[in-house]
Amino acid sequence: MMAAEMSGWPGRFIVRIVLLSRWAMVPLFLGLAFALVLLVVAFAARLWAFALQIFSLTETAVIMELLNLIDLVLVGGLMVIVIQSGYENFVEQIDRRQAPESPAWMMRISFFELKLKLFASLMAIAAITLLKALMRLETDVSETQVRWLMAASVLFLAAYAVLAFTERFAGTSRRAE
């Protein structure tokens, strides 16, 4: 009965509006692309400042700066995954013939693999944040903050494991059918 109700012009109009609404995501993806450019600028500025003071830093300070740079790189990679796969999942598929420079992984990545990549990036960022906090534990980080960071890391790990387990179970069920 519902299909019959949607066959008239009001139903077709609603379906058209719903389908066109996906294009509202484009400015958000463009904003993330611009934010990625700003992240590159922030990375370059941080790298330059690090290079200028390299000879006056302690070993711990060098490690902290390197962790900060790695953190920025991981966030940038996460942004690239979200921008490219988000556009393709929510707006429209990218024609590879018109974009030969697009990475090959985008053509073979499933939604499940995308979720695993996102979780892996988030876990790496959380782990680096925890490592930085542990290195600053003696100076300006409280034990409570470290506990919360450890809890967040364990939570990410548990969520990743549950996601992988459920996908493996669902994949087994699909193959059995």
Side-chain angles (χ1 to χ4, degrees):
M1 174 122 178
M2 185 68 156
E5 292 174 11
M6 294 301 276
S7 64
W9 74 266
R12 287 190 305 270
F13 178 74
I14 291 170
V15 168
R16 181 140 174 86
I17 294 295
V18 168
L19 290 175
L20 286 174
S21 69
R22 73 186 191 277
W23 289 96
M25 294 293 293
V26 171
L28 301 176
F29 293 126
L30 291 174
L32 279 179
F34 180 68
L36 184 60
V37 170
L38 295 177
L39 184 67
V40 169
V41 171
F43 180 89
R46 185 134 203 165
L47 181 62
W48 180 252
F50 176 45
L52 290 178
Q53 57 181 336
I54 187 71
F55 296 111
S56 65
L57 295 175
T58 65
E59 184 178 306
T60 302
V62 169
I63 293 170
M64 290 294 287
E65 283 302 316
L66 289 172
L67 289 174
N68 286 328
L69 292 173
I70 291 169
D71 219 4
L72 291 174
V73 169
L74 288 170
V75 170
L78 186 61
M79 290 176 71
V80 167
I81 290 171
V82 169
I83 293 166
Q84 291 184 357
S85 62
Y87 181 85
E88 194 155 38
N89 282 317
F90 299 114
V91 180
E92 71 176 335
Q93 194 150 11
I94 297 170
D95 183 0
R96 300 292 175 227
R97 293 169 298 200
Q98 294 179 357
E101 71 280 356
S102 66
W105 63 264
M106 283 187 62
M107 295 173 61
R108 352 176 258 275
I109 192 167
S110 69
F111 193 63
F112 166 70
E113 291 167 329
L114 172 65
K115 290 187 285 187
L116 286 181
K117 284 183 183 295
L118 290 172
F119 261 106
S121 294
L122 290 172
M123 285 190 323
I125 291 167
I128 287 175
T129 302
L130 178 60
L131 183 57
K132 288 190 298 189
L134 288 171
M135 292 183 75
R136 293 190 336 250
L137 188 58
E138 295 174 3
T139 58
D140 63 345
V141 175
S142 72
E143 287 184 37
T144 303
Q145 289 171 312
V146 171
R147 283 190 193 108
W148 279 110
L149 288 170
M150 288 176 65
S153 296
V154 168
L155 186 64
F156 277 129
L157 185 61
Y160 186 84
V162 167
L163 180 66
F165 176 76
T166 57
E167 180 60 27
R168 184 175 194 88
F169 181 73
T172 304
S173 298
R174 276 186 245 133
R175 282 191 292 272
E177 292 174 354

